[in-house]
Amino acid sequence: MPPPIHFVHFQETIRCLSFTMAGTEAKKPSAKQSGAKKKEVKKETGLGLTHRKADNFGEWYSEVVVNAEMIEYYDISGCYILRPWSMAIWEIMQEFFDPEIKKMKIKNCYFPLFVSPGVLQKEKDHVEGFAPEVAWVTKSGESELEIPIAIRPTSETVMYPYYSKWIRGHRDLPLKLNQWCNVVRWEFSNPTPFIRSREFLWQEGHTAFATKEEADAEVLDILELYRRIYEEYLAVPVIKGKKSELEKFAGGLYTTSVEAFIPNTGRGIQGATSHCLGQNFAKMFEINFENEKGEKSMVWQNSWAYSTRTIGVMVMVHGDDKGLVLPPKVASVQVIVIPVPYKDADTQGIFDACSATVNTLSEAGIRAESDFRDNYSPGWKYSHWEMKGVPLRIEIGPKDLANKQVRAVRRDNGAKIDIASADLAVEIKKLLDNIQQNLFDVATQKRDECIQVIHTWDEFVQALNQRKMILAPWCDEEEVEADVKARTKGEMGAAKTLCSPFDQPELPEGTKCFASGKPATKWTYWGRSY
Ligand code: 87F
């Protein structure tokens, strides 16, 4: 028999107001009382959110990541603790990506965290713009280090001296390495959990080939894996494309990316990047090989990365006023089973049915858990697991037990579905697939509503003020993008190019650039961004 329940954490929903836990008495409040009580209790328990997504997005986001137990704030600004609830998402993405790159014959390795200053500054163009973000270790104990040591912000300069050493002849190629690690970039602007933190987790791939063709092909193969992480796992639609000369990685030849959009803020966000570095780094680090004809040639290189930022984008896109909404494919708990017993009911029978439900689902490969805690009411548990974004809740009460069924409640749309216990695994699987698809469809529809096609400067400014993601015909000139940036500078941040989509709409002959009036050469996405 569980000990009596204490209703300190009481936040009921209508369905369970009429229930009390076995051996306890809770009065059913009147509608008026229950409304008042709800507000009071929310504060007391920390359940529920005080900010709405549509009203104060920034505060809403911080509240969600903390209350969903993904993040804990740390005593160093811009640094955050990743709690198991978010780390599990990172691990699920790793479990997808790591085998995929292994199929491509990419191997994992690990290079040191520390960089000597000489090596860091070797590739000047590359590090120049980033120098203020590099963090340095200057002391050990009380004594100053003779030479300060940098902490990696990325690992080109760490790895490439060894690529130079390891690559001798064409038989050493391709060299395809990846590492899962942390990097540190001492950002000064507005830190945000997952989105902009001073330390983050990522994978960085660094590959070297004998030919440009091989490098070009890999850039796109990796970009496709990044699209799949966003679209198939996180249920976030992205646009694949090429970065402008101004926005590309300065040390490389060209940069491709997947770009997401946050409708609430009207900002684009770079989801992941896959660069072709060309031969710039090969020149600097003397990464040469003897080709089949016995001639000395330089390698062609790529680098590519996705980071824990992916998690932030997912929270921003799917979260709602009840908290986090997790796509089933990345949810560490896909189904939470909650017993809903009440007075005189067969409590043990209900608990057993919950355990059996978890077992059946687990055997079918579904990540299911039960919440048997006896110091929380069912209603409190509903709110708790909604806040944490669990895709499906299963409630089992006396009526369900009698009817040999369970009640499933969807996190994405609140729909309630009664499922015969006999069909459990099959039906829950279908529901989870449906939730995954629905999250992607709804997010795509919202994103598409924010896309505005424009042709003139006036239309551009108007669309920007309406927080749109703008698709515009452009002349693709660096000075014109710099000019657009300058002309749109303001409190909200300037507009810049997000990418030129690979999937180009038709560009009729004679179409002019929206900004310069020169002939347009391509369609490009523009907007404010993170
Ligand atoms: C900050 C400090 C120093 C970004 C930095 O995108 C250097 C850098 O090189 C820096 N911030 N970058 C660009 C990173 C390029 C590239 N590195 C490998 C990637 C993918 C993974």
Side-chain angles (χ1 to χ4, degrees):
M1 195 57 140
I5 188 161
H6 302 292
F7 284 96
V8 219
H9 301 286
F10 195 74
Q11 192 209 353
E12 287 293 27
T13 65
I14 299 305
R15 182 166 140 92
C16 59
L17 275 178
S18 53
F19 302 147
T20 62
M21 291 291 277
T24 63
E25 288 232 330
K27 287 201 181 77
K28 181 178 174 179
S30 72
K32 222 173 159 189
Q33 277 175 323
S34 89
K37 182 154 192 164
K38 242 185 201 171
K39 265 205 173 140
E40 233 171 73
V41 175
K42 260 189 189 174
K43 262 195 187 154
E44 203 178 290
T45 59
L47 269 183
L49 295 170
T50 59
H51 294 97
R52 280 172 196 274
K53 191 179 188 184
D55 298 343
N56 191 341
F57 184 79
E59 294 293 334
W60 168 86
Y61 178 76
S62 308
E63 231 184 338
V64 169
V65 295
V66 171
N67 290 13
E69 301 175 318
M70 297 179 103
I71 284 286
E72 187 68 69
Y73 278 79
Y74 193 62
D75 72 344
I76 296 171
S77 166
C79 297
Y80 309 94
I81 298 163
L82 301 186
R83 301 183 66 184
W85 202 245
S86 57
M87 197 62 193
I89 299 172
W90 184 242
E91 286 177 336
I92 289 169
M93 291 190 283
Q94 278 186 303
E95 280 158 22
F96 161 71
F97 190 79
D98 202 63
E100 287 295 330
I101 60 174
K102 281 177 179 150
K103 280 186 220 162
M104 294 168 68
K105 304 266 164 59
I106 293 155
K107 292 192 165 74
N108 279 330
C109 62
Y110 188 78
F111 281 74
L113 168 70
F114 298 117
V115 197
S116 67
V119 162
L120 184 73
Q121 275 136 29
K122 182 156 178 160
E123 217 288 308
K124 294 244 172 47
D125 282 357
H126 160 221
V127 173
E128 207 175 45
F130 298 118
E133 287 180 14
V134 177
W136 294 86
V137 178
T138 59
K139 272 179 150 188
S140 88
E142 282 309 303
S143 37
E144 298 278 331
L145 293 188
E146 225 164 89
I147 307 162
I149 289 168
I151 300 175
R152 67 176 164 227
T154 178
S155 302
E156 280 80 358
T157 61
V158 175
M159 296 167 96
Y160 297 167
Y162 299 90
Y163 280 43
S164 170
K165 180 176 182 210
W166 296 335
I167 298 168
R168 290 275 168 252
H170 64 272
R171 285 181 200 86
D172 301 322
L173 292 173
L175 178 61
K176 305 204 267 191
L177 300 181
N178 176 70
Q179 67 177 358
W180 294 96
C181 64
N182 60 339
V183 285
V184 171
R185 295 180 185 172
W186 214 253
E187 304 256 8
F188 290 91
S189 61
N190 184 37
T192 308
F194 301 119
I195 302 292
R196 191 179 297 108
S197 56
R198 285 175 163 176
E199 179 186 358
F200 55 86
L201 304 182
W202 76 353
Q203 60 64 219
E204 50 179 320
H206 295 266
T207 52
F209 300 90
T211 64
K212 180 168 186 294
E213 289 64 39
E214 290 168 275
D216 286 336
E218 188 205 59
V219 165
L220 296 183
D221 290 345
I222 293 293
L223 197 66
E224 172 61 7
L225 294 179
Y226 292 154
R227 182 199 67 77
R228 291 183 60 194
I229 288 177
Y230 274 95
E231 299 200 336
E232 293 178 12
Y233 282 76
L234 301 170
V236 170
V238 289
I239 293 161
K240 278 182 174 182
K242 194 173 163 198
K243 287 285 193 183
S244 68
E245 280 304 298
L246 210 61
E247 290 300 323
K248 78 171 191 185
F249 172 37
L253 183 58
Y254 64 88
T255 294
T256 69
S257 68
V258 289
E259 299 285 328
F261 188 75
I262 311 298
N264 296 77
T265 57
R267 287 178 192 273
I269 183 159
Q270 182 174 292
T273 50
S274 181
H275 313 281
C276 178
L277 302 177
Q279 296 180 307
N280 298 346
F281 285 93
K283 229 171 271 165
M284 277 296 168
F285 289 89
E286 299 175 62
I287 313 177
N288 306 311
F289 70 102
E290 196 176 296
N291 67 21
E292 279 124 325
K293 294 177 209 145
E295 304 153 347
K296 187 178 149 184
S297 20
M298 270 184 297
V299 297
W300 292 87
Q301 288 177 277
N302 291 341
S303 77
W304 28 272
Y306 80 91
S307 72
T308 36
R309 170 180 272 201
T310 46
I311 300 171
V313 175
M314 182 268 294
V315 175
M316 288 183 166
V317 167
H318 299 306
D320 66 15
D321 290 341
K322 287 181 175 176
L324 185 63
V325 177
L326 288 174
K329 283 194 64 159
V330 293
S332 56
V333 178
Q334 296 171 312
V335 180
I336 186 73
V337 181
I338 298 174
V340 191
Y342 74 96
K343 222 177 173 178
D344 303 331
D346 175 9
T347 305
Q348 193 55 52
I350 288 172
F351 276 55
D352 291 347
C354 288
S355 299
T357 300
V358 168
N359 285 342
T360 306
L361 294 177
S362 302
E363 274 162 24
I366 295 164
R367 296 187 285 270
E369 282 180 16
S370 49
D371 186 349
F372 285 140
R373 289 176 293 178
D374 58 16
N375 54 334
Y376 296 106
S377 70
W380 188 93
K381 291 176 186 175
Y382 297 172
S383 303
H384 174 74
W385 294 107
E386 278 171 1
M387 176 67 69
K388 288 175 76 78
V390 171
L392 265 184
R393 164 171 94 232
I394 287 181
E395 306 169 2
I396 304 181
K399 204 183 99 202
D400 304 305
L401 198 61
N403 295 343
K404 293 197 168 61
Q405 63 176 37
V406 303
R407 166 162 282 196
V409 183
R410 287 172 66 144
R411 177 64 181 88
D412 62 331
N413 62 12
K416 298 180 161 81
I417 309 105
D418 288 330
I419 298 171
S421 302
D423 310 332
L424 192 69
V426 172
E427 291 304 314
I428 293 292
K429 246 196 184 132
K430 273 194 221 158
L431 268 177
L432 290 172
D433 287 347
N434 191 286
I435 292 169
Q436 183 78 29
Q437 187 62 45
N438 184 52
L439 284 173
F440 180 74
D441 292 346
V442 169
T444 305
Q445 194 193 329
K446 281 190 188 154
R447 194 274 314 267
D448 289 350
E449 281 166 11
C450 294
I451 296 177
Q452 180 97 34
V453 179
I454 63 102
H455 289 88
T456 66
W457 178 256
D458 285 350
E459 287 172 354
F460 179 80
V461 172
Q462 200 186 359
L464 195 64
N465 290 337
Q466 292 167 351
R467 301 181 172 196
K468 299 285 186 184
M469 187 184 193
I470 300 164
L471 185 57
W474 182 38
C475 62
D476 197 13
E477 287 182 15
E478 221 173 317
E479 309 77 59
V480 174
E481 180 172 4
D483 186 49
V484 172
K485 263 188 169 169
R487 284 158 82 186
T488 56
K489 217 168 153 181
E491 246 172 62
M492 306 257 289
K496 59 185 192 185
T497 58
L498 305 173
C499 73
S500 292
F502 291 143
D503 189 4
Q504 284 276 317
E506 195 203 325
L507 188 68
E509 274 269 336
T511 306
K512 299 259 186 325
C513 168
F514 78 101
S516 69
K518 294 178 188 174
T521 58
K522 52 171 66 153
W523 289 96
T524 299
Y525 282 103
W526 296 74
R528 295 199 178 89
S529 74
Y530 278 90

